[in-house]
Amino acid sequence: MGCLFSRSSNDAPKEEETPKVFSWDKKDRPDPKDFTIEKLNGETAGRIPGKINGQQFIINQCEDCNIYIFDHNATITVDNCTNCRIFIGPSKGSIFLRNCKDCKCVIACQQFRTRDCRNMDVLLHCDSQPIIEATTKIRFGCFRYYYPELLDQFKSAGLSVYNNTWSNIHDFSPVPGEDNWTLISQDFKMEDYVPAPSSEEFSSMKISTAPDDSVVPFTQGNKRRKAEQACLVVFFKDDGSEERIRNFVKGITKEGSCTLVQSKEIEIDGDDTTRLFVEDQQLADAAGKGPVVSLEYSGANAVQVCQDVLQPLKGESVVFVSTADEAGNKVMENWNNHLECQMGM
């Protein structure tokens, strides 16, 4: 027989529940103020590498300012800015400029778009087709910049320095008989657009705007193709291919007679090598080791120049070089058609 005063198991003291902690209650939650630059006039502002680290960012209502975002980011909106010089490091998503005027920008991103902007200069690296809407008097050029952390920031943002469609603009609101956008002269000077910062905040930055130092190869854009000999050089991936490609590009630039029209980094398979290039088992086997990098050069004697510069660099690596005949022209045509199909997917 149980005790009259015995405690039922249901009456046992309950442990206190741990209160739920939501993301917005956490003390380490990013402060929006750290990811916003707004309502500045005549100032220099920005963020050095490591301060944004893949987060979203906002630039809003700034006038006559120098703004530098030296870090990779998720996406950035730039709204209502006038007469500003703006550098934006690699963005994994989109850069959207709205209601801006008289600004000069250097931008690297996966997607670029403007709306209701006018009188703008943009030196661009864009992985997809840039889009403008309700925008007038905008001029585009190729991205050209270097600082030690920049290449790793491109990789963190999932961008290839070789996939740059900066000159392939789509205008959502064209005006009959007028050009809303044009291309900047290829001999531009970076200091005339977005000069390197001189303020104490950025004194640790080691910046170069020299063409030979740029992380992104300087391309003339496919809208500027000339009636000269073309040469396609395709590097297949191996342990030393990245350095080999950079040295090859520098060697061609130093030689001086050829210009880089466009570059691309994409995955292909063994069947693609036969269909696009030639039937060669070495190419087919190499295609399975990773993405290839293609470089299209133009010049009076482009094929011979490319072969001469490549020879001391090639070693045991696998590199395809098109020929200076009808077969070579067919390869170039097939490759460019393949790239267009990839862009449309």
Side-chain angles (χ1 to χ4, degrees):
M1 183 173 178
C3 176
L4 181 64
F5 299 104
S6 64
R7 188 185 299 270
S8 167
S9 60
N10 293 333
D11 295 332
K14 297 180 180 180
E15 295 183 4
E16 293 186 7
E17 291 185 6
T18 304
K20 293 181 179 180
V21 179
F22 299 96
S23 60
W24 51 83
D25 294 324
K26 293 181 180 180
K27 293 182 180 180
D28 60 351
R29 181 173 176 250
D31 187 340
K33 292 181 180 179
D34 294 335
F35 302 94
T36 304
I37 293 175
E38 64 179 345
K39 297 180 180 178
L40 300 184
N41 193 317
E43 299 183 40
T44 295
R47 301 292 186 271
I48 60 175
K51 292 297 184 180
I52 298 178
N53 230 6
Q55 298 289 329
Q56 297 182 17
F57 203 89
I58 294 171
I59 301 172
N60 184 38
Q61 291 184 302
C62 294
E63 183 173 355
D64 195 25
C65 291
N66 295 325
I67 298 172
Y68 304 91
I69 307 300
F70 290 129
D71 205 358
H72 69 100
N73 56 84
T75 182
I76 293 183
T77 55
V78 183
D79 293 317
N80 305 299
C81 290
T82 301
N83 194 34
C84 291
R85 278 70 53 198
I86 302 172
F87 177 92
I88 297 178
S91 175
K92 187 174 185 178
S94 63
I95 302 296
F96 201 174
L97 278 59
R98 299 176 293 197
N99 297 295
C100 295
K101 63 180 180 179
D102 305 327
C103 293
K104 301 179 186 297
C105 307
V106 180
I107 292 172
C109 58
Q110 196 279 327
Q111 183 181 63
F112 175 84
R113 188 165 183 175
T114 70
R115 189 176 68 205
D116 297 313
C117 295
R118 62 182 175 88
N119 196 32
M120 306 281 290
D121 292 295
V122 181
L123 303 177
L124 182 64
H125 176 284
C126 189
D127 188 77
S128 58
Q129 185 175 32
I131 295 172
I132 64 173
E133 182 179 2
T135 295
T136 59
K137 295 183 179 179
I138 184 169
R139 296 162 292 274
F140 289 95
C142 184
F143 181 101
R144 192 175 80 196
Y145 221 83
Y146 170 84
Y147 52 87
E149 302 87 349
L150 185 56
L151 182 57
D152 285 338
Q153 290 175 2
F154 266 88
K155 294 177 180 178
S156 295
L159 300 178
S160 168
V161 298
Y162 299 105
N163 292 343
N164 189 7
T165 61
W166 67 268
S167 67
N168 188 23
I169 314 299
H170 178 71
D171 188 352
F172 260 134
S173 48
V175 178
E178 297 183 17
D179 291 323
N180 288 327
W181 64 274
T182 56
L183 300 183
I184 293 170
S185 173
Q186 290 181 273
D187 59 356
F188 70 85
K189 296 180 179 179
M190 181 61 72
E191 54 268 30
D192 294 335
Y193 291 87
V194 182
S198 57
S199 59
E200 181 64 27
E201 180 182 2
F202 302 104
S203 60
S204 64
M205 297 293 300
K206 298 177 181 179
I207 295 169
S208 172
T209 59
D212 288 350
D213 293 335
S214 179
V215 167
V216 174
F218 188 78
T219 54
Q220 69 177 21
N222 55 18
K223 302 297 182 184
R224 283 180 168 145
R225 277 196 178 93
K226 299 177 181 179
E228 296 180 313
Q229 188 180 94
C231 181
L232 179 67
V233 184
V234 182
F235 289 83
F236 289 76
K237 190 172 183 60
D238 59 40
D239 291 340
S241 57
E242 287 191 25
E243 183 178 0
R244 189 175 301 110
I245 295 167
R246 286 194 293 269
N247 289 335
F248 177 78
V249 171
K250 287 182 179 180
I252 295 288
T253 302
K254 184 178 180 180
E255 192 278 338
S257 69
C258 296
T259 55
L260 181 58
V261 177
Q262 63 176 342
S263 61
K264 196 70 176 179
E265 182 174 12
I266 63 169
E267 298 272 0
I268 61 174
D269 58 30
D271 291 338
D272 290 329
T273 63
T274 300
R275 178 173 57 85
L276 297 170
F277 308 133
V278 293
E279 187 171 352
D280 186 319
Q281 191 58 46
Q282 186 181 35
L283 296 182
D285 292 341
K289 297 180 180 179
V292 301
V293 172
S294 71
L295 306 170
E296 179 188 339
Y297 279 96
S298 175
N301 196 23
V303 172
Q304 188 62 53
V305 170
C306 288
Q307 290 174 340
D308 291 345
V309 173
L310 178 64
Q311 187 57 41
L313 300 173
K314 184 178 178 181
E316 299 298 318
S317 62
V318 179
V319 184
F320 173 83
V321 181
S322 64
T323 53
D325 54 17
E326 189 58 35
N329 294 336
K330 186 62 177 178
V331 165
M332 184 71 71
E333 180 183 349
N334 290 342
W335 183 249
N336 286 324
N337 287 339
H338 182 72
L339 295 184
E340 287 184 12
C341 289
Q342 293 294 312
M343 283 286 291
M345 294 177 64

